[in-house]
Amino acid sequence: MKQLSIIRRVLFACQGIVQAWRYEASFRTHCLATLFVVLVLIWKQPEPLWWAILLFTCAAVLAAELLNTALEHTLDHLSPQEHPAVGIAKDCAAGAVLILSVGALAVFIAFLAET
C-alpha cells in the first residue's frame, strides 16, 4: 500500500465510506445527523469557531463509526462463531461510538443554548 499514489489511497478510503453507507444503518443515521447539523449551521450562521467545533465533532463520530464497522467485520471474519472476547471487543467499540455521540450531542446542545 505504501507504494500506491495518494489518489489510489483516497479512492480506497472512499470505497470504505461507500460500503459503510450501504451496509451500516448506524453510519447512515450519523451521516443524516451530520447533515442536520450542517443545515442548522447554515441557518444560524454562527462564528467560524462553532463551525469548526461542530464539524470536527461530527467527523469524529463518523470516524469512530467507520472504525467500529471495520473492527466488527474483521472480528466476524476471524471468528464466525460467538466468542466472549469478540463480544467484549465489539461492545467496547460500540461503546466508544456511543460516548462520542453523546459528547457530540452535548456540544450541539451547548451551541443551541448559546445562539
Side-chain angles (χ1 to χ4, degrees):
M1 279 297 259
K2 302 271 185 205
Q3 307 301 335
L4 297 177
S5 71
I6 186 72
I7 294 170
R8 297 251 347 249
R9 289 182 280 172
V10 168
L11 289 175
F12 286 135
C14 289
Q15 284 178 339
I17 294 168
V18 168
Q19 293 300 318
W21 175 266
R22 282 187 186 155
Y23 299 109
E24 297 295 327
S26 293
F27 184 74
R28 289 191 299 273
T29 299
H30 286 118
C31 286
L32 292 175
T34 298
L35 177 61
F36 176 75
V37 168
V38 169
L39 292 174
V40 170
L41 284 167
I42 291 169
W43 171 51
K44 293 232 178 214
Q45 290 295 304
E47 296 295 319
L49 182 59
W50 275 114
W51 281 83
I53 292 168
L54 286 166
L55 293 178
F56 181 79
T57 304
C58 289
V61 172
L62 292 173
E65 189 63 55
L66 287 168
L67 289 170
N68 182 43
T69 297
L71 180 67
E72 284 183 355
H73 282 266
T74 301
L75 291 173
D76 288 344
H77 175 75
L78 294 175
S79 180
Q81 326 67 341
E82 285 191 30
H83 189 281
V86 169
I88 290 169
K90 290 167 76 173
D91 290 347
C92 287
V97 175
L98 178 62
I99 288 171
L100 266 172
S101 298
V102 170
L105 180 60
V107 170
F108 188 65
I109 290 168
F111 163 72
L112 292 176
E114 185 175 301
T115 58

